[in-house]
Amino acid sequence: MSAQPPVPTERGILQFLAICDSFYPPDAVQASIEQQRHWYDALCARFDRPLPPEMIFADGMLQRIPIRRYRPRKISTRTILLYLHGGGFVVGSLESHHAICAEIADFAGAELVSVDYRLAPEYRWPAQTDDVFTVSKHLLSANSKVVLIGDSAGANLAAGLALRARDEGLSGVVGQVLIYPALGGDLAAGSYVEMAAAPGLTTADVAYYREILQAPAGNEIAEPLQAASLAGLPPAFITVAHFDPLRDDGRQYAARLTAEGVEVWFREEPQMVHAWLRARHMSEGARDGFRAVCEAIRRFAAA
């Protein structure tokens, strides 16, 4: 008899998982790419929310890369927020994280730019990091200060961007906010074993996304945990979910950053699962976690 997978007990997050399962099957990665994107889009639409009052947004292109700019009713800083969506590098778009981006921009009182970077398998690594690096370089040259924000695969891109900016001598990245980041940890150790069958994301799913992206093993931009040095990186806020195979990636990265002299705020959500951002309006734990994310972003943007 196989052991039951670990699950949280908070009522709101269990309700969230039940809704997710009705839209996005647990074995979704076995379906075609087109089907996966159809399911994901429907799931995102289910959790869509009205935008904050007086929020303005507009789509555009930046060197042929689609972006969406959000401008809240009150701007309190000139720092720009750069948001990179999750989705395993396979699914996700400007629409999938639309309300999340708007709410972050409104809370922080800052303009936010979301990037519709190219997806795998049509575009393999490094297309994704190159797209977001192009956008970040433009924002840094035009605005001087940027906060990097990403969830899951987007957090991988954000962490990689911080490394690229440091290595290329680009100044102005004032913070990195990594939400349940995928950072290239060992799939045969730690939370990848303990939470291998966690609800919402399994270790097998992570292996699938790595395989489809085809990033070179050990490359520090693709796998920031493999970086030779993390010294000189901008301050970081890292949040992980307890019931998530990616949990130890964030734990280990926070520990390494701290050891190498980078200021870090670390938070582990004890009742959360992967992708809990979408549960922020129905789960007490997700609501508290989202507020902590927004407060960190506002703090970095005001620096």
Side-chain angles (χ1 to χ4, degrees):
M1 181 180 294
S2 61
Q4 291 297 312
V7 294
T9 57
E10 192 215 274
R11 182 177 301 178
I13 207 67
L14 291 174
Q15 181 186 2
F16 167 73
L17 287 170
I19 295 171
C20 289
D21 285 346
S22 71
F23 280 87
Y24 205 75
D27 60 351
V29 296
Q30 298 179 24
S32 69
I33 297 297
E34 292 75 17
Q35 181 64 74
Q36 289 183 51
R37 290 174 181 163
H38 174 76
W39 282 332
Y40 190 76
D41 290 347
L43 173 65
C44 295
R46 167 60 179 80
F47 292 107
D48 208 7
R49 302 282 297 190
L51 300 192
E54 300 178 47
M55 174 64 63
I56 299 171
F57 70 92
D59 292 346
M61 301 288 286
L62 202 161
Q63 295 190 27
R64 293 181 289 186
I65 301 167
I67 63 169
R68 179 171 293 173
R69 290 182 180 268
Y70 296 82
R71 187 173 179 84
R73 55 185 167 179
K74 181 180 179 182
I75 298 287
S76 57
T77 176
R78 295 184 62 185
T79 300
I80 300 296
L81 314 179
L82 179 61
Y83 196 95
L84 310 173
H85 70 77
F89 308 103
V90 173
V91 299
S93 65
L94 297 177
E95 297 301 328
S96 64
H97 290 62
H98 183 52
I100 291 170
C101 288
E103 290 171 32
I104 289 173
D106 188 66
F107 190 100
E111 184 176 340
L112 183 148
V113 174
S114 178
V115 185
D116 196 15
Y117 57 84
R118 288 172 290 176
L119 299 176
E122 294 92 339
Y123 300 96
R124 309 287 190 173
W125 196 91
Q128 298 74 23
T129 184
D130 285 348
D131 283 355
V132 298
F133 190 55
T134 295
V135 174
S136 67
K137 284 195 297 184
H138 174 85
L139 295 177
L140 287 168
S141 65
N143 302 285
S144 76
K145 290 185 178 181
V146 171
V147 178
L148 305 175
I149 312 162
D151 69 282
S152 193
N156 170 282
L157 293 172
L161 277 188
L163 286 163
R164 289 185 73 170
R166 180 200 65 182
D167 294 347
E168 297 199 21
L170 298 177
S171 62
V173 177
V174 295
Q176 51 180 323
V177 176
L178 312 180
I179 305 163
Y180 34 82
L183 300 171
D186 183 353
L187 296 183
S191 57
Y192 284 108
V193 175
E194 181 188 350
M195 296 294 168
L201 183 75
T202 67
T203 298
D205 293 337
V206 177
Y208 165 84
Y209 292 130
R210 289 190 186 181
E211 174 62 26
I212 207 167
L213 184 65
Q214 294 188 5
N219 181 285
E220 67 175 28
I221 305 304
E223 300 179 346
L225 274 171
Q226 307 306 318
S229 172
L230 302 181
L233 289 176
F237 176 89
I238 301 174
T239 181
V240 299
H242 180 75
F243 296 93
D244 185 352
L246 298 179
R247 182 192 66 208
D248 286 359
D249 278 22
R251 281 182 178 177
Q252 293 167 14
Y253 204 60
R256 275 202 60 192
L257 287 167
T258 300
E260 298 188 47
V262 178
E263 190 171 19
V264 178
W265 289 264
F266 177 77
R267 187 178 166 104
E268 181 171 324
E269 301 298 341
Q271 283 291 312
M272 293 298 99
V273 298
H274 194 75
W276 59 256
L277 279 183
R278 299 195 187 285
R280 66 198 182 281
H281 294 294
M282 62 186 301
S283 155
E284 181 178 351
R287 181 169 57 251
D288 291 346
F290 184 63
R291 182 173 183 85
V293 166
C294 291
E295 288 175 343
I297 292 168
R298 184 167 64 184
R299 181 173 63 246
F300 287 148

